[in-house]
Amino acid sequence: MCAPEIALEVEASVPIEKTHGSSLTWWFRACCFCYSLVGIEMAWRLQAVECNCPSYMWRVEACLLLMQGCLSFLHDAYFAGRSPAAKAADRSCATFLTFCQPVKLAFCHMDFAQWGLLACSWTLGLLCFCAGARAFAAGKGLRYQVFHTLWHITLPLGGYLWIEYTRASVYAWPSQSGSSSLRGAPALGAGHDPHEIFWNTLECRGGTLLPVGSN
């Protein structure tokens, strides 16, 4: 598997005219914003991910993801590789965010599902990126768009699933009066609708979000 920086060098070494071998499709342009969507999701679920892993820089990553969607669109779709400034900004932010994913293993305690989501989405994303870079170098415009779009989808989708799984795992709702608190996804259906309890009534205790005032 090629490393991201090697694949980026392959792209940079190809004459810029090859990016215009075929017209850019609407889905190629639209999927550039997948990063921004998962950035919004991360910002929305910030209390849950910070409770699960308080030492990681979630706020910084959420801001960078929001920005990355715009940078990706500018470089890949709007300028179609013709702007050196857009290319440098997109490359720098994307590379940093890509390497942030395995760094989470050093800051966050993950169960098997969290680890699997992170590893699978990161690996599949890089494989798609490398396949897209090879198609780009060969001048195969449509093939490049397919694999580069999958690169734009796999990592954000993995991030979304990771966040939603983590959000479920840090909830703890009392199932019945006098019973002990349940933890994780089973607790979400244990006698309480999660939407009935708002975020400002929850507090983090030992990696679990509990209703304020609960024992």
Side-chain angles (χ1 to χ4, degrees):
M1 182 176 67
C2 65
E5 63 272 17
I6 296 175
L8 287 167
E9 289 174 4
V10 171
E11 276 195 19
S13 66
V14 179
I16 200 69
E17 289 77 15
K18 285 202 174 184
T19 62
H20 307 290
S22 61
S23 59
L24 298 178
T25 60
W26 67 266
W27 40 265
F28 178 82
R29 298 173 186 270
C31 286
C32 293
F33 292 102
C34 288
Y35 299 104
S36 295
L37 292 177
V38 76
I40 293 171
E41 165 74 4
M42 185 177 291
W44 189 27
R45 308 299 193 191
L46 196 59
Q47 186 180 22
V49 293
E50 285 187 335
C51 182
N52 176 259
C53 181
S55 59
Y56 185 74
M57 50 181 187
W58 296 108
R59 295 170 189 266
V60 174
E61 183 172 342
C63 291
L64 289 176
L65 285 167
L66 287 168
M67 185 171 63
Q68 178 58 35
C70 298
L71 295 177
S72 179
F73 177 80
L74 286 174
H75 172 50
D76 292 336
Y78 186 79
F79 291 112
R82 291 168 293 184
S83 170
K87 177 185 291 186
D90 178 38
R91 177 185 301 182
S92 300
C93 191
T95 301
F96 179 79
L97 286 169
T98 299
F99 284 110
C100 277
Q101 306 320 303
V103 168
K104 288 187 174 105
L105 295 171
F107 289 90
C108 306
H109 175 74
M110 300 187 192
D111 62 21
F112 181 77
Q114 289 172 309
W115 188 93
L117 284 169
L118 181 65
C120 289
S121 62
W122 192 76
T123 302
L124 288 174
L126 288 180
L127 288 173
C128 291
F129 182 88
C130 292
R134 288 192 293 269
F136 184 94
K140 300 178 180 179
L142 183 59
R143 184 179 176 85
Y144 160 73
Q145 290 183 63
V146 169
F147 281 104
H148 204 70
T149 298
L150 289 174
W151 152 255
H152 285 166
I153 292 174
T154 50
L155 266 72
L157 178 60
Y160 171 82
L161 294 174
W162 193 96
I163 292 168
E164 283 300 303
Y165 176 85
T166 300
R167 183 182 76 92
S169 72
V170 298
Y171 273 115
W173 311 106
S175 57
Q176 296 177 357
S177 178
S179 66
S180 60
S181 293
L182 298 176
R183 175 182 171 86
L188 293 176
H192 286 77
D193 182 356
H195 298 289
E196 293 178 357
I197 301 179
F198 296 98
W199 282 108
N200 60 4
T201 65
L202 299 176
E203 61 183 358
C204 183
R205 300 182 195 171
T208 303
L209 284 174
L210 292 162
V212 174
S214 65
N215 295 323

